[in-house]
Amino acid sequence: EVQLVESGGGLVQPGGSLRLSCAAAGFIFSNYGMYWVRQAPGKGLEWVSAISLGGGTAYYEDSVKGRFTVSRDNAKNTVTLQMNSLKPEDTAVYYCVKGENVVVDNPPPTFLNSQMRGQGTQVTVSS
């Protein structure tokens, strides 16, 4: 059974940092690209970042470029999203998503909605 479990969310002030983690199980982690997406209240899924199978290639949505960094540890079956300089507009539930054997920049919502994702972790940026 495929399992994705996100952790690390919380309440942080604007300008602060959080580190999200996603623990994967039930599939050969190193064979799949991984994505991070988020969903703000009343809005649809928004793609945030993608990382290739080996971690050598990463993509970011424009609004998080330079602030967020995605990484993965295939030995530990984890993918991490380091979020710095957080803004109130980053407030959302963040999900990791199991991709396919390639990753794409800015994948379509139809793709993201069709893929397996975890239960999410809440990130709230507020003073």
Side-chain angles (χ1 to χ4, degrees):
E1 178 188 3
V2 172
Q3 289 188 331
L4 297 166
V5 179
E6 301 92 339
S7 61
L11 173 64
V12 63
Q13 292 186 341
S17 298
L18 283 174
R19 185 177 180 88
L20 305 184
S21 292
C22 172
F27 62 100
I28 302 173
F29 184 70
S30 58
N31 284 358
Y32 292 87
M34 297 295 294
Y35 298 88
W36 284 96
V37 301
R38 63 188 180 186
Q39 188 166 25
K43 297 188 176 181
L45 281 180
E46 178 187 30
W47 169 69
V48 174
S49 183
I51 188 166
S52 61
L53 280 67
T57 300
Y59 301 108
Y60 300 94
E61 193 273 330
D62 285 346
S63 69
V64 308
K65 282 180 181 176
R67 300 189 298 122
F68 291 10
T69 303
V70 64
S71 60
R72 66 188 294 164
D73 186 337
N74 286 345
K76 296 181 179 180
N77 288 1
T78 58
V79 57
T80 300
L81 186 68
Q82 176 67 43
M83 307 188 296
N84 299 328
S85 302
L86 283 161
K87 304 175 181 180
E89 51 264 43
D90 294 319
T91 295
V93 178
Y94 283 71
Y95 302 89
C96 64
V97 176
K98 173 180 172 285
E100 297 178 333
N101 59 357
V102 293
V103 287
V104 297
D105 188 3
N106 195 11
T110 52
F111 171 78
L112 295 174
N113 279 295
S114 70
Q115 299 301 106
M116 175 74 179
R117 62 179 183 261
Q119 84 291 344
T121 186
Q122 175 70 48
V123 171
T124 303
V125 185
S126 175
S127 55

